[in-house]
Amino acid sequence: ILNVEQSPQSLHVQEGDSTNFTCSFPSSNFYALHWYRWETAKSPEALFVMTLNGDEKKKGRISATLNTKEGYSYLYIKGSQPEDSATYLCAFKAPGYSTLTFGKGTMLLVSP
Amino acid sequence: DAGVIQSPRHEVTEMGQEVTLRCKPISGHNSLFWYRQTMMRGLELLIYFNNNVPIDDSGMPEDRFSAKMPNASFSTLKIQPSEPRDSAVYFCASSLTGGSGANVLTFGAGSRLTVL
């Protein structure tokens, strides 16, 4: 069983604050790391897929970094807006495993 | 493409009844996944099909759960008999060559099941 941990479990920030959260995964065996954004009453939507150590991806105010040697990925949101409120899921793929393993997510609430 | 289509969106049923959830993946995607989302366990994989063949069903909770994929455009998840602890949101997702890991999953809107 692969262990994918996300922290914090939840986060409440004010509009305009920048924030970040962490996804930890087994460093010994890596293939890919996904980030998904999941708004309430909707379905998860893909943000990024990263496969190489040192990868950095950016989409608007959201960016992510990957460190496969130490087994973590950070997701950053610059200047949070209320519409960024969602649960952010990471998912890890290891060689030899047929599917992704999801973390339990970080629930972000951005207040106006 | 209309995306991954799931039905029903909501189902309320009584304990002991049979429940069938349906999924139409994105055309051209050859991998299909059924997930269950609960507060306690988060998003957990139930079963994964590749080219209509079940590859990994280790997440299927027990014999009451079964899943089929008779063709590339349709899959069902059946619970018989249903129990209150099966209450959850069930998501279907599809992707290209799902086993590679580098292809993102596209999720359906989910089916919210309540078993009374």
Side-chain angles (χ1 to χ4, degrees), chain B residues 13-63:
Chain B
T13 191
E14 292 189 346
M15 184 173 66
Q17 295 298 306
E18 178 180 294
V19 173
T20 300
L21 308 179
R22 298 172 179 80
C23 176
K24 181 180 187 305
I26 288 177
S27 177
H29 281 187
N30 63 349
S31 294
L32 183 140
F33 308 80
W34 282 101
Y35 286 90
R36 177 170 67 178
Q37 193 261 339
T38 61
M39 291 294 291
M40 289 290 292
R41 297 184 173 212
L43 200 61
E44 53 177 342
L45 178 71
L46 299 176
I47 188 167
Y48 155 53
F49 291 89
N50 186 248
N51 293 322
N52 312 339
V53 176
I55 302 300
D56 182 356
D57 65 354
S58 58
M60 295 287 264
E62 48 199 88
D63 292 345

mmCIF file of all heavy atoms in Angstrom, chain B residues 13-63:
data_model
loop_
_atom_site.group_PDB
_atom_site.id
_atom_site.type_symbol
_atom_site.label_atom_id
_atom_site.label_comp_id
_atom_site.label_asym_id
_atom_site.label_seq_id
_atom_site.Cartn_x
_atom_site.Cartn_y
_atom_site.Cartn_z
ATOM 1 N N THR B 13 -32.069 4.842 -1.854
ATOM 2 C CA THR B 13 -32.681 3.524 -1.886
ATOM 3 C C THR B 13 -32.712 2.937 -0.493
ATOM 4 O O THR B 13 -32.124 3.476 0.449
ATOM 5 C CB THR B 13 -31.887 2.599 -2.836
ATOM 6 O OG1 THR B 13 -32.632 1.392 -3.053
ATOM 7 C CG2 THR B 13 -30.529 2.238 -2.256
ATOM 8 N N GLU B 14 -33.407 1.859 -0.364
ATOM 9 C CA GLU B 14 -33.507 1.200 0.948
ATOM 10 C C GLU B 14 -32.544 0.025 1.025
ATOM 11 O O GLU B 14 -32.244 -0.627 0.011
ATOM 12 C CB GLU B 14 -34.941 0.742 1.186
ATOM 13 C CG GLU B 14 -35.904 1.901 1.372
ATOM 14 C CD GLU B 14 -37.272 1.449 1.824
ATOM 15 O OE1 GLU B 14 -37.560 0.242 1.734
ATOM 16 O OE2 GLU B 14 -38.050 2.313 2.264
ATOM 17 N N MET B 15 -32.110 -0.228 2.212
ATOM 18 C CA MET B 15 -31.195 -1.339 2.463
ATOM 19 C C MET B 15 -31.750 -2.618 1.846
ATOM 20 O O MET B 15 -32.938 -2.920 1.966
ATOM 21 C CB MET B 15 -31.023 -1.523 3.970
ATOM 22 C CG MET B 15 -30.027 -2.582 4.346
ATOM 23 S SD MET B 15 -29.721 -2.600 6.128
ATOM 24 C CE MET B 15 -31.289 -3.108 6.768
ATOM 25 N N GLY B 16 -30.855 -3.347 1.165
ATOM 26 C CA GLY B 16 -31.254 -4.607 0.560
ATOM 27 C C GLY B 16 -31.589 -4.493 -0.914
ATOM 28 O O GLY B 16 -31.628 -5.505 -1.620
ATOM 29 N N GLN B 17 -31.801 -3.272 -1.384
ATOM 30 C CA GLN B 17 -32.137 -3.084 -2.789
ATOM 31 C C GLN B 17 -30.883 -3.133 -3.657
ATOM 32 O O GLN B 17 -29.766 -2.842 -3.204
ATOM 33 C CB GLN B 17 -32.840 -1.740 -2.995
ATOM 34 C CG GLN B 17 -34.186 -1.637 -2.303
ATOM 35 C CD GLN B 17 -35.166 -2.659 -2.834
ATOM 36 O OE1 GLN B 17 -35.410 -2.741 -4.035
ATOM 37 N NE2 GLN B 17 -35.716 -3.470 -1.938
ATOM 38 N N GLU B 18 -31.081 -3.465 -4.906
ATOM 39 C CA GLU B 18 -29.981 -3.458 -5.874
ATOM 40 C C GLU B 18 -29.798 -2.054 -6.426
ATOM 41 O O GLU B 18 -30.772 -1.357 -6.715
ATOM 42 C CB GLU B 18 -30.282 -4.422 -7.011
ATOM 43 C CG GLU B 18 -29.209 -4.436 -8.104
ATOM 44 C CD GLU B 18 -29.550 -5.415 -9.218
ATOM 45 O OE1 GLU B 18 -29.566 -6.632 -8.952
ATOM 46 O OE2 GLU B 18 -29.771 -4.964 -10.359
ATOM 47 N N VAL B 19 -28.547 -1.641 -6.555
ATOM 48 C CA VAL B 19 -28.215 -0.328 -7.111
ATOM 49 C C VAL B 19 -27.306 -0.529 -8.313
ATOM 50 O O VAL B 19 -26.339 -1.299 -8.244
ATOM 51 C CB VAL B 19 -27.478 0.537 -6.060
ATOM 52 C CG1 VAL B 19 -26.978 1.822 -6.688
ATOM 53 C CG2 VAL B 19 -28.384 0.828 -4.872
ATOM 54 N N THR B 20 -27.614 0.142 -9.401
ATOM 55 C CA THR B 20 -26.747 0.099 -10.586
ATOM 56 C C THR B 20 -26.358 1.511 -10.983
ATOM 57 O O THR B 20 -27.224 2.348 -11.240
ATOM 58 C CB THR B 20 -27.440 -0.592 -11.764
ATOM 59 O OG1 THR B 20 -27.763 -1.937 -11.395
ATOM 60 C CG2 THR B 20 -26.516 -0.629 -12.982
ATOM 61 N N LEU B 21 -25.072 1.756 -11.009
ATOM 62 C CA LEU B 21 -24.532 3.043 -11.439
ATOM 63 C C LEU B 21 -23.918 2.869 -12.817
ATOM 64 O O LEU B 21 -23.311 1.836 -13.107
ATOM 65 C CB LEU B 21 -23.480 3.535 -10.444
ATOM 66 C CG LEU B 21 -23.912 3.562 -8.974
ATOM 67 C CD1 LEU B 21 -22.757 4.040 -8.091
ATOM 68 C CD2 LEU B 21 -25.132 4.428 -8.775
ATOM 69 N N ARG B 22 -24.058 3.905 -13.646
ATOM 70 C CA ARG B 22 -23.644 3.787 -15.041
ATOM 71 C C ARG B 22 -22.623 4.859 -15.406
ATOM 72 O O ARG B 22 -22.636 5.956 -14.844
ATOM 73 C CB ARG B 22 -24.857 3.896 -15.955
ATOM 74 C CG ARG B 22 -25.868 2.784 -15.736
ATOM 75 C CD ARG B 22 -27.160 3.012 -16.510
ATOM 76 N NE ARG B 22 -28.102 1.938 -16.298
ATOM 77 C CZ ARG B 22 -28.875 1.823 -15.227
ATOM 78 N NH1 ARG B 22 -28.830 2.724 -14.268
ATOM 79 N NH2 ARG B 22 -29.700 0.802 -15.107
ATOM 80 N N CYS B 23 -21.784 4.523 -16.354
ATOM 81 C CA CYS B 23 -20.742 5.455 -16.770
ATOM 82 C C CYS B 23 -20.470 5.319 -18.262
ATOM 83 O O CYS B 23 -20.327 4.207 -18.779
ATOM 84 C CB CYS B 23 -19.456 5.189 -15.993
ATOM 85 S SG CYS B 23 -18.052 6.215 -16.503
ATOM 86 N N LYS B 24 -20.354 6.471 -18.911
ATOM 87 C CA LYS B 24 -19.928 6.514 -20.312
ATOM 88 C C LYS B 24 -18.615 7.284 -20.351
ATOM 89 O O LYS B 24 -18.603 8.492 -20.086
ATOM 90 C CB LYS B 24 -20.985 7.197 -21.171
ATOM 91 C CG LYS B 24 -20.646 7.259 -22.649
ATOM 92 C CD LYS B 24 -21.765 7.956 -23.418
ATOM 93 C CE LYS B 24 -21.559 7.882 -24.926
ATOM 94 N NZ LYS B 24 -20.260 8.397 -25.379
ATOM 95 N N PRO B 25 -17.506 6.639 -20.674
ATOM 96 C CA PRO B 25 -16.226 7.347 -20.675
ATOM 97 C C PRO B 25 -16.086 8.243 -21.901
ATOM 98 O O PRO B 25 -16.916 8.216 -22.802
ATOM 99 C CB PRO B 25 -15.204 6.196 -20.727
ATOM 100 C CG PRO B 25 -15.929 5.101 -21.445
ATOM 101 C CD PRO B 25 -17.373 5.230 -21.034
ATOM 102 N N ILE B 26 -15.027 9.025 -21.924
ATOM 103 C CA ILE B 26 -14.725 9.859 -23.076
ATOM 104 C C ILE B 26 -14.341 8.954 -24.247
ATOM 105 O O ILE B 26 -13.556 8.007 -24.082
ATOM 106 C CB ILE B 26 -13.598 10.847 -22.745
ATOM 107 C CG1 ILE B 26 -14.132 11.924 -21.791
ATOM 108 C CG2 ILE B 26 -13.027 11.487 -23.998
ATOM 109 C CD1 ILE B 26 -13.096 12.913 -21.334
ATOM 110 N N SER B 27 -14.904 9.267 -25.397
ATOM 111 C CA SER B 27 -14.622 8.477 -26.584
ATOM 112 C C SER B 27 -13.119 8.485 -26.889
ATOM 113 O O SER B 27 -12.492 9.554 -26.910
ATOM 114 C CB SER B 27 -15.395 9.067 -27.767
ATOM 115 O OG SER B 27 -15.099 8.372 -28.948
ATOM 116 N N GLY B 28 -12.563 7.292 -27.070
ATOM 117 C CA GLY B 28 -11.137 7.195 -27.365
ATOM 118 C C GLY B 28 -10.288 6.872 -26.144
ATOM 119 O O GLY B 28 -9.142 6.427 -26.287
ATOM 120 N N HIS B 29 -10.826 7.114 -24.956
ATOM 121 C CA HIS B 29 -10.092 6.729 -23.752
ATOM 122 C C HIS B 29 -10.196 5.224 -23.574
ATOM 123 O O HIS B 29 -11.281 4.657 -23.688
ATOM 124 C CB HIS B 29 -10.673 7.431 -22.515
ATOM 125 C CG HIS B 29 -10.233 8.842 -22.378
ATOM 126 N ND1 HIS B 29 -10.529 9.604 -21.273
ATOM 127 C CD2 HIS B 29 -9.514 9.647 -23.199
ATOM 128 C CE1 HIS B 29 -9.986 10.807 -21.410
ATOM 129 N NE2 HIS B 29 -9.381 10.856 -22.577
ATOM 130 N N ASN B 30 -9.066 4.585 -23.271
ATOM 131 C CA ASN B 30 -9.095 3.134 -23.157
ATOM 132 C C ASN B 30 -8.997 2.634 -21.720
ATOM 133 O O ASN B 30 -8.915 1.432 -21.489
ATOM 134 C CB ASN B 30 -7.978 2.501 -23.999
ATOM 135 C CG ASN B 30 -6.599 2.905 -23.525
ATOM 136 O OD1 ASN B 30 -6.454 3.809 -22.710
ATOM 137 N ND2 ASN B 30 -5.587 2.231 -24.035
ATOM 138 N N SER B 31 -8.982 3.561 -20.770
ATOM 139 C CA SER B 31 -8.934 3.159 -19.361
ATOM 140 C C SER B 31 -10.094 3.779 -18.609
ATOM 141 O O SER B 31 -10.412 4.959 -18.815
ATOM 142 C CB SER B 31 -7.612 3.608 -18.724
ATOM 143 O OG SER B 31 -6.534 2.926 -19.296
ATOM 144 N N LEU B 32 -10.706 2.986 -17.749
ATOM 145 C CA LEU B 32 -11.851 3.460 -16.978
ATOM 146 C C LEU B 32 -11.671 3.040 -15.522
ATOM 147 O O LEU B 32 -11.224 1.928 -15.228
ATOM 148 C CB LEU B 32 -13.158 2.876 -17.539
ATOM 149 C CG LEU B 32 -14.446 3.357 -16.854
ATOM 150 C CD1 LEU B 32 -15.541 3.599 -17.896
ATOM 151 C CD2 LEU B 32 -14.914 2.385 -15.793
ATOM 152 N N PHE B 33 -12.017 3.971 -14.636
ATOM 153 C CA PHE B 33 -11.815 3.769 -13.200
ATOM 154 C C PHE B 33 -13.125 4.058 -12.457
ATOM 155 O O PHE B 33 -13.820 5.023 -12.785
ATOM 156 C CB PHE B 33 -10.753 4.736 -12.660
ATOM 157 C CG PHE B 33 -9.456 4.731 -13.415
ATOM 158 C CD1 PHE B 33 -9.321 5.432 -14.601
ATOM 159 C CD2 PHE B 33 -8.367 4.030 -12.939
ATOM 160 C CE1 PHE B 33 -8.132 5.436 -15.310
ATOM 161 C CE2 PHE B 33 -7.154 4.031 -13.632
ATOM 162 C CZ PHE B 33 -7.046 4.735 -14.817
ATOM 163 N N TRP B 34 -13.420 3.275 -11.464
ATOM 164 C CA TRP B 34 -14.501 3.577 -10.518
ATOM 165 C C TRP B 34 -13.869 3.897 -9.165
ATOM 166 O O TRP B 34 -13.081 3.103 -8.637
ATOM 167 C CB TRP B 34 -15.451 2.395 -10.357
ATOM 168 C CG TRP B 34 -16.428 2.225 -11.477
ATOM 169 C CD1 TRP B 34 -16.357 1.344 -12.521
ATOM 170 C CD2 TRP B 34 -17.657 2.934 -11.654
ATOM 171 N NE1 TRP B 34 -17.455 1.478 -13.338
ATOM 172 C CE2 TRP B 34 -18.265 2.443 -12.826
ATOM 173 C CE3 TRP B 34 -18.314 3.947 -10.946
ATOM 174 C CZ2 TRP B 34 -19.499 2.924 -13.301
ATOM 175 C CZ3 TRP B 34 -19.520 4.427 -11.414
ATOM 176 C CH2 TRP B 34 -20.110 3.910 -12.570
ATOM 177 N N TYR B 35 -14.231 5.067 -8.627
ATOM 178 C CA TYR B 35 -13.756 5.502 -7.316
ATOM 179 C C TYR B 35 -14.960 5.710 -6.399
ATOM 180 O O TYR B 35 -16.052 6.036 -6.847
ATOM 181 C CB TYR B 35 -13.005 6.837 -7.404
ATOM 182 C CG TYR B 35 -11.624 6.763 -7.993
ATOM 183 C CD1 TYR B 35 -11.427 6.920 -9.365
ATOM 184 C CD2 TYR B 35 -10.507 6.564 -7.186
ATOM 185 C CE1 TYR B 35 -10.152 6.873 -9.903
ATOM 186 C CE2 TYR B 35 -9.232 6.514 -7.723
ATOM 187 C CZ TYR B 35 -9.068 6.672 -9.085
ATOM 188 O OH TYR B 35 -7.801 6.623 -9.623
ATOM 189 N N ARG B 36 -14.688 5.591 -5.086
ATOM 190 C CA ARG B 36 -15.693 5.916 -4.080
ATOM 191 C C ARG B 36 -15.104 6.976 -3.160
ATOM 192 O O ARG B 36 -13.941 6.852 -2.728
ATOM 193 C CB ARG B 36 -16.066 4.663 -3.281
ATOM 194 C CG ARG B 36 -17.059 4.913 -2.166
ATOM 195 C CD ARG B 36 -17.572 3.631 -1.579
ATOM 196 N NE ARG B 36 -16.549 2.866 -0.876
ATOM 197 C CZ ARG B 36 -16.788 1.719 -0.240
ATOM 198 N NH1 ARG B 36 -18.020 1.229 -0.222
ATOM 199 N NH2 ARG B 36 -15.816 1.090 0.378
ATOM 200 N N GLN B 37 -15.882 7.998 -2.889
ATOM 201 C CA GLN B 37 -15.412 9.074 -2.026
ATOM 202 C C GLN B 37 -16.218 9.105 -0.742
ATOM 203 O O GLN B 37 -17.446 9.222 -0.766
ATOM 204 C CB GLN B 37 -15.513 10.422 -2.738
ATOM 205 C CG GLN B 37 -14.771 11.544 -2.044
ATOM 206 C CD GLN B 37 -15.648 12.430 -1.211
ATOM 207 O OE1 GLN B 37 -16.850 12.470 -1.417
ATOM 208 N NE2 GLN B 37 -15.065 13.144 -0.279
ATOM 209 N N THR B 38 -15.517 8.958 0.393
ATOM 210 C CA THR B 38 -16.153 9.074 1.701
ATOM 211 C C THR B 38 -15.319 10.011 2.566
ATOM 212 O O THR B 38 -14.138 10.265 2.267
ATOM 213 C CB THR B 38 -16.250 7.718 2.423
ATOM 214 O OG1 THR B 38 -14.919 7.221 2.620
ATOM 215 C CG2 THR B 38 -17.049 6.719 1.614
ATOM 216 N N MET B 39 -15.950 10.527 3.618
ATOM 217 C CA MET B 39 -15.227 11.424 4.521
ATOM 218 C C MET B 39 -14.057 10.712 5.182
ATOM 219 O O MET B 39 -12.985 11.264 5.361
ATOM 220 C CB MET B 39 -16.179 11.962 5.592
ATOM 221 C CG MET B 39 -17.219 12.919 5.057
ATOM 222 S SD MET B 39 -16.481 14.438 4.446
ATOM 223 C CE MET B 39 -15.918 15.163 5.968
ATOM 224 N N MET B 40 -14.290 9.446 5.526
ATOM 225 C CA MET B 40 -13.267 8.714 6.281
ATOM 226 C C MET B 40 -12.060 8.352 5.424
ATOM 227 O O MET B 40 -10.920 8.483 5.857
ATOM 228 C CB MET B 40 -13.884 7.424 6.854
ATOM 229 C CG MET B 40 -14.865 7.667 7.963
ATOM 230 S SD MET B 40 -14.048 8.250 9.460
ATOM 231 C CE MET B 40 -13.125 6.798 9.930
ATOM 232 N N ARG B 41 -12.304 7.877 4.236
ATOM 233 C CA ARG B 41 -11.221 7.313 3.425
ATOM 234 C C ARG B 41 -10.801 8.168 2.247
ATOM 235 O O ARG B 41 -9.850 7.824 1.539
ATOM 236 C CB ARG B 41 -11.652 5.942 2.904
ATOM 237 C CG ARG B 41 -11.889 4.929 3.997
ATOM 238 C CD ARG B 41 -12.209 3.591 3.392
ATOM 239 N NE ARG B 41 -12.280 2.576 4.424
ATOM 240 C CZ ARG B 41 -11.953 1.312 4.256
ATOM 241 N NH1 ARG B 41 -11.538 0.904 3.096
ATOM 242 N NH2 ARG B 41 -12.041 0.451 5.246
ATOM 243 N N GLY B 42 -11.495 9.254 1.993
ATOM 244 C CA GLY B 42 -11.155 10.071 0.841
ATOM 245 C C GLY B 42 -11.573 9.366 -0.440
ATOM 246 O O GLY B 42 -12.569 8.658 -0.490
ATOM 247 N N LEU B 43 -10.754 9.528 -1.474
ATOM 248 C CA LEU B 43 -11.066 8.966 -2.786
ATOM 249 C C LEU B 43 -10.338 7.623 -2.910
ATOM 250 O O LEU B 43 -9.117 7.566 -2.974
ATOM 251 C CB LEU B 43 -10.576 9.934 -3.845
ATOM 252 C CG LEU B 43 -11.144 9.866 -5.247
ATOM 253 C CD1 LEU B 43 -12.638 10.125 -5.234
ATOM 254 C CD2 LEU B 43 -10.458 10.896 -6.135
ATOM 255 N N GLU B 44 -11.099 6.539 -2.933
ATOM 256 C CA GLU B 44 -10.469 5.232 -3.011
ATOM 257 C C GLU B 44 -10.878 4.520 -4.301
ATOM 258 O O GLU B 44 -12.056 4.542 -4.695
ATOM 259 C CB GLU B 44 -10.826 4.368 -1.789
ATOM 260 C CG GLU B 44 -12.288 4.227 -1.496
ATOM 261 C CD GLU B 44 -12.574 3.311 -0.314
ATOM 262 O OE1 GLU B 44 -11.702 2.519 0.082
ATOM 263 O OE2 GLU B 44 -13.702 3.370 0.203
ATOM 264 N N LEU B 45 -9.909 3.870 -4.913
ATOM 265 C CA LEU B 45 -10.147 3.160 -6.161
ATOM 266 C C LEU B 45 -10.871 1.850 -5.888
ATOM 267 O O LEU B 45 -10.469 1.074 -5.021
ATOM 268 C CB LEU B 45 -8.824 2.860 -6.855
ATOM 269 C CG LEU B 45 -8.926 2.075 -8.157
ATOM 270 C CD1 LEU B 45 -9.522 2.937 -9.261
ATOM 271 C CD2 LEU B 45 -7.554 1.562 -8.582
ATOM 272 N N LEU B 46 -11.933 1.611 -6.631
ATOM 273 C CA LEU B 46 -12.660 0.348 -6.528
ATOM 274 C C LEU B 46 -12.170 -0.635 -7.582
ATOM 275 O O LEU B 46 -11.825 -1.766 -7.281
ATOM 276 C CB LEU B 46 -14.161 0.585 -6.685
ATOM 277 C CG LEU B 46 -14.815 1.493 -5.642
ATOM 278 C CD1 LEU B 46 -16.279 1.708 -5.977
ATOM 279 C CD2 LEU B 46 -14.654 0.923 -4.253
ATOM 280 N N ILE B 47 -12.157 -0.194 -8.841
ATOM 281 C CA ILE B 47 -11.780 -1.087 -9.928
ATOM 282 C C ILE B 47 -11.278 -0.275 -11.099
ATOM 283 O O ILE B 47 -11.679 0.873 -11.300
ATOM 284 C CB ILE B 47 -12.974 -1.989 -10.350
ATOM 285 C CG1 ILE B 47 -12.537 -3.067 -11.353
ATOM 286 C CG2 ILE B 47 -14.115 -1.144 -10.895
ATOM 287 C CD1 ILE B 47 -13.585 -4.151 -11.562
ATOM 288 N N TYR B 48 -10.375 -0.883 -11.871
ATOM 289 C CA TYR B 48 -9.762 -0.240 -13.033
ATOM 290 C C TYR B 48 -9.869 -1.197 -14.221
ATOM 291 O O TYR B 48 -9.499 -2.364 -14.121
ATOM 292 C CB TYR B 48 -8.312 0.102 -12.694
ATOM 293 C CG TYR B 48 -7.347 0.218 -13.848
ATOM 294 C CD1 TYR B 48 -7.616 1.051 -14.926
ATOM 295 C CD2 TYR B 48 -6.137 -0.473 -13.836
ATOM 296 C CE1 TYR B 48 -6.710 1.165 -15.967
ATOM 297 C CE2 TYR B 48 -5.230 -0.355 -14.861
ATOM 298 C CZ TYR B 48 -5.518 0.459 -15.924
ATOM 299 O OH TYR B 48 -4.624 0.587 -16.957
ATOM 300 N N PHE B 49 -10.396 -0.674 -15.338
ATOM 301 C CA PHE B 49 -10.484 -1.427 -16.590
ATOM 302 C C PHE B 49 -9.503 -0.826 -17.596
ATOM 303 O O PHE B 49 -9.385 0.405 -17.698
ATOM 304 C CB PHE B 49 -11.880 -1.317 -17.204
ATOM 305 C CG PHE B 49 -12.970 -2.011 -16.445
ATOM 306 C CD1 PHE B 49 -13.668 -1.355 -15.442
ATOM 307 C CD2 PHE B 49 -13.325 -3.311 -16.746
ATOM 308 C CE1 PHE B 49 -14.687 -1.976 -14.749
ATOM 309 C CE2 PHE B 49 -14.357 -3.952 -16.067
ATOM 310 C CZ PHE B 49 -15.032 -3.276 -15.062
ATOM 311 N N ASN B 50 -8.863 -1.671 -18.373
ATOM 312 C CA ASN B 50 -8.059 -1.216 -19.499
ATOM 313 C C ASN B 50 -8.498 -2.000 -20.729
ATOM 314 O O ASN B 50 -8.508 -3.243 -20.694
ATOM 315 C CB ASN B 50 -6.562 -1.421 -19.234
ATOM 316 C CG ASN B 50 -5.711 -0.821 -20.327
ATOM 317 O OD1 ASN B 50 -5.066 -1.521 -21.091
ATOM 318 N ND2 ASN B 50 -5.705 0.489 -20.423
ATOM 319 N N ASN B 51 -8.873 -1.292 -21.782
ATOM 320 C CA ASN B 51 -9.417 -1.943 -22.982
ATOM 321 C C ASN B 51 -10.539 -2.915 -22.627
ATOM 322 O O ASN B 51 -10.588 -4.045 -23.124
ATOM 323 C CB ASN B 51 -8.304 -2.652 -23.758
ATOM 324 C CG ASN B 51 -7.314 -1.662 -24.346
ATOM 325 O OD1 ASN B 51 -7.681 -0.584 -24.805
ATOM 326 N ND2 ASN B 51 -6.042 -2.013 -24.316
ATOM 327 N N ASN B 52 -11.410 -2.481 -21.758
ATOM 328 C CA ASN B 52 -12.631 -3.187 -21.335
ATOM 329 C C ASN B 52 -12.364 -4.380 -20.427
ATOM 330 O O ASN B 52 -13.300 -5.076 -20.032
ATOM 331 C CB ASN B 52 -13.455 -3.679 -22.544
ATOM 332 C CG ASN B 52 -13.666 -2.619 -23.597
ATOM 333 O OD1 ASN B 52 -13.562 -1.430 -23.316
ATOM 334 N ND2 ASN B 52 -13.942 -3.048 -24.807
ATOM 335 N N VAL B 53 -11.128 -4.619 -20.075
ATOM 336 C CA VAL B 53 -10.782 -5.780 -19.250
ATOM 337 C C VAL B 53 -10.469 -5.305 -17.830
ATOM 338 O O VAL B 53 -9.688 -4.354 -17.680
ATOM 339 C CB VAL B 53 -9.554 -6.515 -19.835
ATOM 340 C CG1 VAL B 53 -9.137 -7.649 -18.916
ATOM 341 C CG2 VAL B 53 -9.863 -7.023 -21.236
ATOM 342 N N PRO B 54 -11.051 -5.937 -16.810
ATOM 343 C CA PRO B 54 -10.708 -5.526 -15.443
ATOM 344 C C PRO B 54 -9.264 -5.891 -15.129
ATOM 345 O O PRO B 54 -8.871 -7.048 -15.253
ATOM 346 C CB PRO B 54 -11.701 -6.321 -14.582
ATOM 347 C CG PRO B 54 -12.120 -7.476 -15.423
ATOM 348 C CD PRO B 54 -12.042 -7.024 -16.843
ATOM 349 N N ILE B 55 -8.474 -4.872 -14.745
ATOM 350 C CA ILE B 55 -7.058 -5.078 -14.469
ATOM 351 C C ILE B 55 -6.795 -5.168 -12.965
ATOM 352 O O ILE B 55 -5.994 -5.964 -12.503
ATOM 353 C CB ILE B 55 -6.212 -3.936 -15.068
ATOM 354 C CG1 ILE B 55 -6.441 -3.829 -16.583
ATOM 355 C CG2 ILE B 55 -4.739 -4.126 -14.748
ATOM 356 C CD1 ILE B 55 -6.071 -5.068 -17.362
ATOM 357 N N ASP B 56 -7.476 -4.311 -12.205
ATOM 358 C CA ASP B 56 -7.235 -4.253 -10.767
ATOM 359 C C ASP B 56 -8.573 -4.052 -10.072
ATOM 360 O O ASP B 56 -9.158 -2.980 -10.173
ATOM 361 C CB ASP B 56 -6.285 -3.105 -10.444
ATOM 362 C CG ASP B 56 -5.948 -3.008 -8.954
ATOM 363 O OD1 ASP B 56 -6.505 -3.784 -8.152
ATOM 364 O OD2 ASP B 56 -5.133 -2.152 -8.596
ATOM 365 N N ASP B 57 -9.052 -5.076 -9.410
ATOM 366 C CA ASP B 57 -10.325 -4.950 -8.665
ATOM 367 C C ASP B 57 -10.087 -5.142 -7.171
ATOM 368 O O ASP B 57 -11.007 -5.484 -6.427
ATOM 369 C CB ASP B 57 -11.366 -5.944 -9.181
ATOM 370 C CG ASP B 57 -10.960 -7.395 -8.936
ATOM 371 O OD1 ASP B 57 -9.825 -7.641 -8.460
ATOM 372 O OD2 ASP B 57 -11.770 -8.284 -9.220
ATOM 373 N N SER B 58 -8.862 -4.930 -6.744
ATOM 374 C CA SER B 58 -8.521 -5.162 -5.336
ATOM 375 C C SER B 58 -9.242 -4.208 -4.392
ATOM 376 O O SER B 58 -9.345 -4.468 -3.199
ATOM 377 C CB SER B 58 -7.011 -5.051 -5.129
ATOM 378 O OG SER B 58 -6.549 -3.783 -5.534
ATOM 379 N N GLY B 59 -9.745 -3.108 -4.922
ATOM 380 C CA GLY B 59 -10.449 -2.150 -4.090
ATOM 381 C C GLY B 59 -11.935 -2.424 -3.929
ATOM 382 O O GLY B 59 -12.606 -1.750 -3.143
ATOM 383 N N MET B 60 -12.444 -3.390 -4.632
ATOM 384 C CA MET B 60 -13.868 -3.722 -4.509
ATOM 385 C C MET B 60 -14.102 -4.288 -3.117
ATOM 386 O O MET B 60 -13.506 -5.311 -2.745
ATOM 387 C CB MET B 60 -14.270 -4.736 -5.585
ATOM 388 C CG MET B 60 -14.168 -4.179 -6.989
ATOM 389 S SD MET B 60 -15.464 -3.001 -7.366
ATOM 390 C CE MET B 60 -16.617 -4.079 -8.198
ATOM 391 N N PRO B 61 -14.991 -3.669 -2.344
ATOM 392 C CA PRO B 61 -15.092 -3.996 -0.924
ATOM 393 C C PRO B 61 -15.454 -5.451 -0.643
ATOM 394 O O PRO B 61 -14.899 -6.066 0.237
ATOM 395 C CB PRO B 61 -16.165 -3.053 -0.395
ATOM 396 C CG PRO B 61 -16.380 -2.035 -1.436
ATOM 397 C CD PRO B 61 -15.910 -2.591 -2.730
ATOM 398 N N GLU B 62 -16.384 -5.983 -1.343
ATOM 399 C CA GLU B 62 -16.829 -7.342 -1.058
ATOM 400 C C GLU B 62 -17.685 -7.837 -2.210
ATOM 401 O O GLU B 62 -17.883 -7.133 -3.194
ATOM 402 C CB GLU B 62 -17.600 -7.372 0.260
ATOM 403 C CG GLU B 62 -18.659 -6.290 0.364
ATOM 404 C CD GLU B 62 -19.084 -6.036 1.806
ATOM 405 O OE1 GLU B 62 -18.453 -5.209 2.463
ATOM 406 O OE2 GLU B 62 -20.033 -6.697 2.248
ATOM 407 N N ASP B 63 -18.167 -9.055 -2.057
ATOM 408 C CA ASP B 63 -18.889 -9.696 -3.163
ATOM 409 C C ASP B 63 -20.173 -8.970 -3.538
ATOM 410 O O ASP B 63 -20.724 -9.218 -4.606
ATOM 411 C CB ASP B 63 -19.223 -11.147 -2.810
ATOM 412 C CG ASP B 63 -17.967 -11.994 -2.740
ATOM 413 O OD1 ASP B 63 -16.914 -11.531 -3.237
ATOM 414 O OD2 ASP B 63 -18.032 -13.113 -2.204
#
